[in-house]
Amino acid sequence: MVKKRVPDWLNSSLWSASPSVTDDDCRRYDSKPSTPTPPSPVAPVPPPVVVVVQEQSPKPDPKESVDDVNDASSNSSAEDVSRQAQFLAELSKKVINLRELRTLASQGIPDLAGIRSTVWKLLLGYLPSDRGHWSSELAKKRSQYKHFKEELLMNPSEITRRLGISTSSDEESKLEGSGMLSRSEITHGEHPLSLGKTSVWNQFFQDTEIIEQIDRDVKRTHPDMNFFSGDTPFAKANQDALRNILIVFAKLNPGIRYVQGMNEILAPLFYVFKNDPDEENAASAEADTFFCFVELLSGFRDNFCQQLDNSVVGIRSTITRLSQLLKEHDGELWRHLEVTTKVNPQFYAFRWITLLLTQEFNFADSLHIWDTLLSDPEGPQEGSK
């Protein structure tokens, strides 16, 4: 098989450097420590500079070899600093040039100063390009998400209790001095046994199955990372945030609701936003993640709709396009897969497409891959092909 030339951008020092997430639990295939301790949410740190240790035993011309490596390390560090300065310069403009930002992000985003968090929000359209509108837009969206939670995550018994308080206040005033106890009137729609379409209890029981599936998947999300997994208050708070987002999304999108695997797409967004060094942004990571998750899925939500599987916008059509692109760009590999070995593209491409490669690479590397996917103006689906 002819070896294909690796694109230059894939050999960038940003991709080959050690992952920015220094906690061992953030390496997807590493073993989980026997006694995990909850890490504090901190900002991702930049890739470490390679340190060259000179051996004590003398060697012929050691200065030359050490100087060569140090020069390479200095050049790599200088490149990282230069790229960071480019991002900060672009993000400090009154109006962000999204085309320029996409070009920068396609080569990878530095893991420092919350740059990735801000850039992802811009690339997904959550933040407007005009910096002057950021504060008002964030306040509006975060307030809207709070309203969603209050309306959609409330237990029906609490809704009934509140309704009972408001309807019984007038009765109590009439019964004062009569010696009779007041009794709240429960309408048919508010009764737990009601089967009416508008009944909050009926809807609650219908949602139970989906909520149980969400609970199971959230607990299985990156079990090797203390950020998502474990019995610590820190991990449980992060699990609760993922759970809330997925339940609210399912209730607001009855045509799709929840599909297994959505938790894997949600995890990178929440991790990046929760580790924003800006305390206000980190505190609002759940709300910001919800809207960015909605924006991200809007580009390929049809892949999660079973009724559209065989349509021109469904997952089978997307897999067919991927196979055609593979045939066009690497005919030898295409023939090996589909002619020689007769491997159905669905066996390998389905997970690539629906989960945006999150299951094919360790977590730290997937963040860098997403930098490129999200920078594609046509959306992450086009960037992954």
Side-chain angles (χ1 to χ4, degrees), residues 39-58:
S40 302
V42 297
V45 298
V49 178
V50 177
V51 178
V52 178
V53 180
Q54 185 174 352
E55 297 182 1
Q56 294 180 353
S57 57

Side-chain angles (χ1 to χ4, degrees), residues 324-335:
Q324 292 171 348
L325 287 171
L326 179 61
K327 182 178 182 181
E328 177 183 346
H329 294 282
D330 196 333
E332 184 177 356
L333 177 58
W334 176 85
R335 282 190 296 274

Side-chain angles (χ1 to χ4, degrees), residues 151-270:
E151 181 179 353
L152 301 174
L153 300 182
M154 186 180 297
N155 190 294
S157 60
E158 178 64 17
I159 298 177
T160 303
R161 186 187 69 81
R162 292 188 180 186
L163 290 173
I165 292 175
S166 61
T167 57
S168 63
S169 57
D170 294 337
E171 290 185 4
E172 290 180 356
S173 60
K174 294 179 181 179
L175 295 175
E176 282 185 6
S178 65
M180 298 176 61
L181 296 176
S182 62
R183 179 179 179 181
S184 299
E185 293 185 5
I186 300 179
T187 65
H188 177 71
E190 298 161 8
H191 197 283
L193 299 182
S194 172
L195 298 178
K197 293 182 178 180
T198 60
S199 169
V200 293
W201 280 101
N202 184 32
Q203 187 62 50
F204 172 77
F205 291 127
Q206 289 181 3
D207 293 337
T208 299
E209 183 177 353
I210 291 179
I211 293 175
E212 289 177 351
Q213 179 64 58
I214 290 174
D215 285 337
R216 288 193 295 269
D217 289 350
V218 165
K219 291 177 181 178
R220 290 196 291 252
T221 303
H222 297 290
D224 53 349
M225 293 177 59
N226 289 339
F227 181 89
F228 293 108
S229 180
D231 296 327
T232 65
F234 175 72
K236 286 186 175 298
N238 293 333
Q239 290 179 356
D240 288 342
L242 297 181
R243 180 181 184 274
N244 292 340
I245 293 171
L246 292 171
I247 293 175
V248 170
F249 177 85
K251 291 190 174 185
L252 290 177
N253 295 271
I256 300 179
R257 310 204 78 180
Y258 172 76
V259 178
Q260 191 171 16
M262 287 183 175
N263 58 305
E264 300 293 349
I265 301 176
L266 182 64
L269 292 172
F270 182 71

Side-chain angles (χ1 to χ4, degrees), residues 337-384:
L337 290 174
E338 299 200 21
V339 179
T340 305
T341 60
K342 299 186 184 303
V343 176
N344 190 324
Q346 195 167 340
F347 293 150
Y348 59 86
F350 182 84
R351 195 169 73 170
W352 294 0
I353 294 171
T354 56
L355 302 185
L356 298 180
L357 303 175
T358 56
Q359 299 299 289
E360 317 310 320
F361 300 89
N362 67 52
F363 190 80
D365 289 341
S366 69
L367 297 184
H368 289 283
I369 293 172
W370 274 37
D371 292 342
T372 300
L373 296 183
L374 297 182
S375 68
D376 192 294
E378 300 298 328
Q381 286 286 310
E382 296 300 321
S384 63

Side-chain angles (χ1 to χ4, degrees), residues 26 33-34 45 50 64 83 93 101 117 142 145 150 198 202 209 237 263 304 308 311 316 322 345 349 352-353 362:
C26 193
S34 58
V45 298
V50 177
E64 181 179 353
R83 286 187 55 76
K93 294 180 180 178
L101 187 65
S117 174
R142 290 166 179 174
Y145 179 72
E150 292 174 348
T198 60
N202 184 32
E209 183 177 353
N263 58 305
F304 291 97
L308 298 176
S311 69
R316 286 193 174 90
L322 176 62
W352 294 0
I353 294 171
N362 67 52

